[in-house]
Amino acid sequence: QRLVILCGSTYLSRLWCVLELFVYVQMGGSVGVIEFVPVLRSDKDGGYEDLLSISQTFQDFDAADCHCRKEQDKQNILIVISTAFYGVEEFNRLVREMVINIGLRRETSSLISDLSSDISASSQGFSQEGSSSTSVVATVSHICRNFDQHVDHARTR
């Protein structure tokens, strides 16, 4: 009834993983029921970096840039995708738009907000470091705005 994908920062760089999306859509699966679950490092800094990296991989996705262990596999898969979507670019557009259609923005924005709250709460009580906690929260807010801008930019493509 749905496709759940554990998506780390390298997921969209591996053509065999991208092939899973292709097959799902070609077999009649709805893009609207695909759920991407971001896989993030457990430390806050690493988690932020991972979120930004995942977002960027959707923005910049190009199946032709993906990797396969065997070059012949890559060429064969790209031919199949190109044939089915009347060109690789149409498939690329579909993948780029998935971030908008499937709610990855909602999931990651919520996660960033939660992490921001955690940082703010954990830094309370450190009077000397009060200004640095403010800058951390400001940085997180900047990340949220930046992420939203990337998603909004993808919508206009």
Side-chain angles (χ1 to χ4, degrees):
Q1 294 179 359
R2 67 185 173 136
L3 175 63
V4 178
I5 296 176
L6 302 176
C7 184
S9 59
T10 62
Y11 179 81
L12 289 178
S13 69
R14 298 185 310 266
L15 195 53
W16 280 105
C17 293
V18 172
L19 185 63
E20 293 173 341
L21 293 173
F22 168 78
V23 170
Y24 181 79
V25 171
Q26 286 302 110
M27 296 293 295
S30 170
V31 172
V33 298
I34 298 174
E35 179 182 348
F36 282 85
V37 177
V39 177
L40 309 172
R41 287 176 278 182
S42 59
D43 64 288
K44 288 182 172 74
D45 290 338
Y48 292 131
E49 289 174 16
D50 292 344
L51 282 174
L52 293 176
S53 178
I54 292 168
S55 173
Q56 196 64 48
T57 62
F58 276 96
Q59 303 302 316
D60 298 336
F61 178 76
D62 186 345
D65 292 336
C66 292
H67 306 285
C68 275
R69 184 172 290 193
K70 296 180 181 178
E71 184 61 29
Q72 189 59 49
D73 286 351
K74 178 178 180 175
Q75 296 310 313
N76 290 339
I77 292 169
L78 290 175
I79 289 169
V80 170
I81 289 173
S82 182
T83 302
F85 285 90
Y86 304 104
V88 173
E89 187 53 41
E90 185 60 23
F91 179 73
N92 292 342
R93 185 189 61 74
L94 174 72
V95 172
R96 288 182 200 123
E97 289 179 357
M98 282 183 187
V99 72
I100 297 163
N101 295 331
I102 62 175
L104 183 62
R105 174 184 181 180
R106 184 175 56 248
E107 294 287 329
T108 54
S109 293
S110 173
L111 183 56
I112 289 173
S113 178
D114 292 347
L115 291 172
S116 174
S117 297
D118 289 348
I119 290 171
S120 181
S122 67
S123 63
Q124 296 299 324
F126 293 103
S127 58
Q128 281 189 314
E129 296 184 68
S131 62
S132 69
S133 69
T134 302
S135 69
V136 169
V137 172
T139 300
V140 171
S141 296
H142 173 73
I143 289 170
C144 290
R145 284 192 306 277
N146 203 13
F147 184 80
D148 287 343
Q149 287 172 355
H150 282 304
V151 172
D152 290 339
H153 179 69
R155 272 195 192 124
T156 61
R157 285 186 180 174

